[in-house]
């Protein structure tokens, strides 16, 4: 059985300058997926020291041509003959350890079906032990990785990790906020995938990995496939991907613009097309770390990113699943450049969720956080539309929205901003407060309204009385207008009743009909 497996390996070692190796290293194809290889259903049996506990990798039901094509797609041409993959690293000299590493990595380029735990148990266990041995070797950092080793490692990760999520696996995901308490879905192959992810992380962060060489294999195609995996339903996988992508961003400076652009494209599709993606929160966590490292002054491309990507992310219904991470990114931009606070507030007002009370509460919380960091000049640019919207929230029939808006006055920084601009703000808010004080149904909101009203009175009694007099005058004028409107309608109704009936055009208006309330 193992003879069949080892017969797939090259019979001669390839020299570093051989044409075949150069041809292999000239480009990397990470399109290999789980369909490229199949495994035998029979368990491997021990046969001497060399085959003890080995795996059998055969293409059952395929032609010999298909088998050769599969082998060439899975196993890098840099595998060295004469180095048995199942040998431990301690049993080979240092000069051969990198060749053994390549052979062991190539041995792991076969995928299994983990939905059936009774299938290929021996093969799965051998592959798991090989991966753990590779993980220990990479973590030890004993020698620099050769280019064939980097190529083999990237291919192995591509074969094991890069896959398309089937629709039936993702159908119950992509919650929109109302099903946030549903149990997350877990991938049955996770115990195996976790080792591969740990191995990739150790490999990328290893001091023995030359970034100048590795960037040719951990390239744009590899990074795009990593980003595609963020849509996984398994939160454990997304957590591993978050750490790995962050390390890739830190190690490969040449790829940083591409990573930011690719993340932007994911956000664009999410906001303006699908509103369905499982990994928005994790991607925003990475983005928060990236923003914190931006140099000052901010480049124009970063400001455009804020306006076109970060602010529109407040629009989707599923905002609650990633609101904390999004708010952190917003505050990172404002801390970097305080002038952007007015831009953010105007953006929030543009996407204000008038018909979604839960999102309104979140928006008000973010507004409070921004107002704590805003300067006076930027505040004065947005205070009129901002407090007009806050006034609408104070009058909301949803008590949590009204209560959250009134809680803004518990913040000393916001009260200080309001006090310095009370000549503009008080005339906007006084009618709102008076309406709440007279007719709001919730006692807690009523008490908070009276407290805010008292604060304005103590802040500037003369201005308060002047605004209150204007409010009473406005109420009187509105009442007069309303009375005149009613009188005009009564005159029209009386005139209509006196008109003769001609043909089918007359409308009968009776005193009973006019008394029906609308």
């Amino acid at each position: 059985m193992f003879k069949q497996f080892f017969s797939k390996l090259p019979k001669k070692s390839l020299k570093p300058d051989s044409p075949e190796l150069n041809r292999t290293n000239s480009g990397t194809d990470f399109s290999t997926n789980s369909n490229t290889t199949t495994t035998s259903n029979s368990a491997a049996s021990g046969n001497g020291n060399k085959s003890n506990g080995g795996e059998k990798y055969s293409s059952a039901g395929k032609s010999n041509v298909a088998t050769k094509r599969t082998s060439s797609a899975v196993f890098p041409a840099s595998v060295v003959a004469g180095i048995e993959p199942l040998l431990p690293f301690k049993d080979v000299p240092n000069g051969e350890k990198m060749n053994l590493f390549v052979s062991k990595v190539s041995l792991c380029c076969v995928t299994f079906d983990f939905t059936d735990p009774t299938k290929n148990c021996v093969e799965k266990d051998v592959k798991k032990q090989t991966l753990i041995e590779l993980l220990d070797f990479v973590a030890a950092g004993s020698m620099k990785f050769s280019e064939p080793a980097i190529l083999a490692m990237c291919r192995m990760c591509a074969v094991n990790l890069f896959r398309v999520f089937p629709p039936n696996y993702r159908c119950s995901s992509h919650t929109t906020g109302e099903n946030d308490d549903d149990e997350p879905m877990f991938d049955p192959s996770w115990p195996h995938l976790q080792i591969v992810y740990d191995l990739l992380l150790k490999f990328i962060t290893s001091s023995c990995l030359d970034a100048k060489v590795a960037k040719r294999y951990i390239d744009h195609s590899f990074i795009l496939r990593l980003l595609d995996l963020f849509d996984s339903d398994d939160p454990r996988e997304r957590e591993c991907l978050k750490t790995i992508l962050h390390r890739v961003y830190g190690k490969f400076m040449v790829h940083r613009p591409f990573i930011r652009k690719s993340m932007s494209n994911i956000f664009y599709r999410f906001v303006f097309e699908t509103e369905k993606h499982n990994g928005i929160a994790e991607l925003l966590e990475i983005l928060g770390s990236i923003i914190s490292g931006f140099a000052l002054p901010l480049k124009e491309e970063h400001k455009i990113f804020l306006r076109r990507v970060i602010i529109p992310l407040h629009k989707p219904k599923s905002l609650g699943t990633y609101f904390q991470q999004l708010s952190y990114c917003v505050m990172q931009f404002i801390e970097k450049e305080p002038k952007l606070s007015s831009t953010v507030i105007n953006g929030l007002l543009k996407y204000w969720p008038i018909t979604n009370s839960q999102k309104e509460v979140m928006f008000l919380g973010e507004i409070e956080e921004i107002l704590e960091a805003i300067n006076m000049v930027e505040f004065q640019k947005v205070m009129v539309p901002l407090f007009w919207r806050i006034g609408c929230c104070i009058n909301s029939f949803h008590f949590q929205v009204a209560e959250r808006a009134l809680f803004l006055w518990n913040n000393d920084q916001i009260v200080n901003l309001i006090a310095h601009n009370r000549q503009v703000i008080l005339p906007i808010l006084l009618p709102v407060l008076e309406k709440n004080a007279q007719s709001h149904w919730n006692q807690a909101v009523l008490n908070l309204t009276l407290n805010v009203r008292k604060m304005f009175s103590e802040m500037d009694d003369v201005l308060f009385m002047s605004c209150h007099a204007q409010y009473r005058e406005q109420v009187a004028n509105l009442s007069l207008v309303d009375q005149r409107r009613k009188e005009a309608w009564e005159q029209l109704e009386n005139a209509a009743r006196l008109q003769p009936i001609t043909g089918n055009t007359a409308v009968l208006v009776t005193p009973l009909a006019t008394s029906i309330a609308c």
Side-chain angles (χ1 to χ4, degrees):
M1 187 178 301
F2 281 96
K3 291 181 179 179
Q4 296 175 2
F5 166 68
F6 289 122
S7 66
K8 297 180 182 180
L9 302 179
K11 297 300 182 182
K12 294 182 179 181
S13 300
L14 296 179
K15 297 180 181 180
D17 56 350
S18 64
E20 187 174 353
L21 180 57
N22 292 334
R23 210 166 39 243
T24 303
N25 292 339
S26 62
T28 309
D29 181 14
F30 297 117
S31 61
T32 306
N33 54 36
S34 59
N35 295 328
T36 59
T37 58
T38 58
T39 61
S40 170
N41 291 332
S42 61
S45 60
N47 185 15
N49 295 332
K50 292 186 178 180
S51 61
N52 184 23
E55 281 182 274
K56 178 179 180 181
Y57 302 108
S58 63
S59 300
K62 301 294 183 180
S63 65
N64 293 332
V65 175
T67 303
K68 291 180 181 179
R69 184 168 61 250
T70 301
S71 299
S72 62
V74 173
F75 297 106
S78 55
V79 175
V80 179
I83 301 294
E84 183 182 339
L86 298 180
L87 283 175
F89 282 104
K90 62 183 179 62
D91 292 347
V92 298
N94 290 336
E96 295 294 326
K97 283 186 178 179
M98 195 53 60
N99 294 333
L100 179 60
F101 176 83
V102 173
S103 296
K104 287 181 178 291
V105 169
S106 300
L107 186 70
C108 298
C109 287
V110 178
T111 58
F112 297 99
D113 180 13
F114 285 86
T115 58
D116 185 0
T118 63
K119 187 177 179 181
N120 305 115
C121 296
V122 176
E123 291 91 334
K124 291 175 183 176
D125 185 64
V126 171
K127 181 177 179 181
K128 178 181 177 180
Q129 296 304 321
T130 305
L131 286 171
I132 292 174
E133 190 176 1
L134 288 169
L135 181 61
D136 293 338
F137 178 79
V138 173
S142 56
M143 59 178 58
K144 186 177 181 180
F145 293 107
S146 63
E147 188 166 352
I150 297 172
L151 169 61
M153 187 68 187
C154 291
R155 279 187 172 171
M156 187 275 290
C157 292
V159 168
N160 285 276
L161 300 178
F162 298 160
R163 62 205 189 280
V164 177
F165 303 113
N168 60 339
Y169 177 68
R170 304 167 60 221
C171 61
S172 62
S173 64
H174 311 311
T175 59
T176 57
E178 58 271 9
N179 297 322
D180 292 341
D181 295 332
D182 289 352
E183 289 293 328
M185 296 184 66
F186 297 109
D187 193 323
S189 62
W190 175 248
H192 166 82
L193 291 175
Q194 185 179 19
I195 304 174
V196 181
Y197 275 120
D198 290 343
L199 179 57
L200 178 58
L201 177 61
K202 292 291 185 182
F203 181 73
I204 291 173
T205 57
S206 174
S207 58
C208 298
L209 179 64
D210 187 351
K212 294 181 180 179
V213 178
K215 70 180 181 182
R216 294 201 290 270
Y217 304 103
I218 302 178
D219 57 2
H220 290 180
S221 175
F222 191 93
I223 292 170
L224 281 176
R225 298 298 297 276
L226 275 180
L227 287 169
D228 288 341
L229 294 176
F230 274 91
D231 203 18
S232 170
D233 288 298
D234 196 323
R236 301 168 300 183
E237 182 170 14
R238 300 198 301 269
E239 192 68 21
C240 286
L241 286 164
K242 179 184 70 175
T243 306
I244 289 172
L245 186 62
H246 190 268
R247 298 301 184 184
V248 169
Y249 188 90
K251 186 151 192 170
F252 301 96
M253 296 184 64
V254 68
H255 293 329
R256 290 182 180 181
F258 178 79
I259 293 174
R260 294 197 300 267
K261 181 180 178 181
S262 301
M263 292 172 66
S264 299
N265 292 335
I266 292 175
F267 293 138
Y268 284 138
R269 286 193 298 269
F270 172 69
V271 173
F272 299 109
E273 294 181 12
T274 65
E275 289 198 9
K276 295 179 181 179
H277 197 283
N278 289 314
I280 298 299
E282 287 79 10
L283 289 171
L284 285 172
E285 282 192 48
I286 301 171
L287 191 59
S289 299
I290 292 174
I291 296 170
S292 65
F294 284 165
L296 295 177
L298 290 177
K299 297 179 180 179
E300 186 61 27
E301 67 169 292
H302 300 328
K303 298 178 185 178
I304 293 174
F305 179 81
L306 171 67
R307 292 193 296 268
R308 297 183 181 178
V309 178
I310 296 297
I311 294 176
L313 276 170
H314 291 81
K315 178 184 175 183
K317 295 179 181 178
S318 56
L319 172 67
T321 61
Y322 57 85
F323 175 73
Q324 183 178 358
Q325 293 84 356
L326 180 61
S327 181
Y328 177 79
C329 291
V330 169
M331 293 310 301
Q332 287 294 307
F333 269 109
I334 293 176
E335 289 177 7
K336 289 283 182 179
E337 191 163 320
K339 290 182 179 180
L340 294 173
S341 54
S342 59
T343 302
V344 173
I345 291 178
N346 282 325
L348 292 178
L349 295 176
K350 176 182 178 181
Y351 293 106
W352 198 272
I354 299 174
T355 60
N356 190 324
S357 57
Q358 292 181 343
K359 285 182 66 176
E360 273 197 289
V361 172
M362 288 188 280
F363 272 49
L364 288 167
E366 188 169 4
I367 287 291
E368 179 175 5
E369 194 172 0
I370 295 171
L371 291 180
E372 287 181 346
I374 200 171
N375 58 48
M376 190 65 68
V377 175
E378 298 302 315
F379 175 76
Q380 290 174 348
K381 292 179 182 179
V382 297
M383 62 182 177
V384 173
L386 174 61
F387 278 91
W388 183 87
R389 174 54 61 191
I390 291 175
C392 293
C393 293
I394 291 173
N395 280 156
S396 174
F397 288 118
H398 196 289
F399 80 96
Q400 290 179 333
V401 175
E403 192 175 53
R404 187 64 186 86
L406 290 165
F407 278 158
L408 293 174
W409 275 262
N410 290 339
N411 190 303
D412 293 337
Q413 172 66 16
I414 297 176
V415 171
N416 182 58
L417 291 169
I418 294 172
H420 282 83
N421 298 277
R422 58 186 180 275
Q423 299 286 346
V424 176
I425 296 174
L426 184 55
I428 297 173
L429 291 182
L430 186 62
V432 173
L433 297 173
E434 292 296 329
K435 181 180 179 181
N436 261 22
Q438 295 171 12
S439 60
H440 203 283
W441 64 272
N442 186 271
Q443 187 61 42
V445 172
L446 180 60
N447 293 337
L448 287 171
T449 300
L450 295 176
N451 289 338
V452 172
R453 188 175 179 275
K454 182 180 178 182
M455 289 177 65
F456 274 118
S457 177
E458 295 174 350
M459 190 181 298
D460 192 333
D461 185 58
V462 175
L463 177 62
F464 181 85
M465 295 306 296
S466 174
C467 292
H468 199 272
Q470 293 178 6
Y471 168 72
R472 290 197 301 268
E473 183 179 351
Q474 290 175 358
V475 170
N477 291 336
L478 290 174
S479 177
L480 181 61
V481 170
D482 186 53
Q483 182 63 30
R484 289 176 179 174
R485 185 184 299 111
K486 289 181 179 179
E487 292 175 356
W489 276 109
E490 289 176 359
Q491 292 176 4
L492 290 172
E493 291 165 1
N494 292 332
R497 281 197 297 268
L498 297 176
Q499 290 293 328
I501 299 177
T502 57
N504 296 326
T505 59
V507 178
L508 179 62
V509 181
T510 64
L512 180 61
T514 59
S515 63
I516 297 176
C518 296

